[in-house]
Amino acid sequence: QVELVESGGGSVQPGGSLTLSCTVSGNSFNNYCLVWFREEPGLEREGVANIDSDGRTSYAETVEGRFTISQDNVKKTLYLQMNNLEPEDTAKYYCALEGGKYSGDYYCHQPEFTYWSQGTQVTVSS
């Protein structure tokens, strides 16, 4: 059974940094994509960053250069290092996983993900 457990959210002032962690258990996919999404009430969910099973990464333009996605395969943990945070980054953040017989890159381009974390709130405010 796949389970994603997230931690690391909180409140920070503009310009500050936070690191989100997502521990993934039960992932038996050889090919997969792990994604960080964020969502604010009333707004469309945004894919922030993704990393596939080959280590390829991709970022939304809104966070490029400020956020870094990485994974530790030994600890089975996904990270999102967020620097130079802006009030516009305020949202609930989720990690998600999709995988199967196709390439990791394929799953990173799919519109839906099967496995999700519980979400953690990030608030950027002075």
Side-chain angles (χ1 to χ4, degrees), residues 38-65:
R38 64 187 181 188
E39 193 167 27
E40 291 183 83
L43 298 180
E44 191 173 338
R45 185 179 67 197
E46 179 186 17
V48 173
N50 65 58
I51 186 167
D52 70 16
S53 41
D54 291 321
R56 284 182 293 248
T57 60
S58 179
Y59 297 89
E61 287 185 7
T62 51
V63 306
E64 182 95 53

Side-chain angles (χ1 to χ4, degrees), residues 11-16 85-88 90 123-126:
S11 296
V12 65
Q13 292 187 339
L85 282 159
E86 304 169 351
E88 293 74 22
T90 295
T123 301
V124 185
S125 174
S126 55

Side-chain angles (χ1 to χ4, degrees), residues 23-45:
T23 301
V24 183
S25 60
N27 178 18
S28 60
F29 298 121
N30 289 326
N31 304 314
Y32 62 84
C33 182
L34 283 161
V35 185
W36 286 102
F37 287 98
R38 64 187 181 188
E39 193 167 27
E40 291 183 83
L43 298 180
E44 191 173 338
R45 185 179 67 197

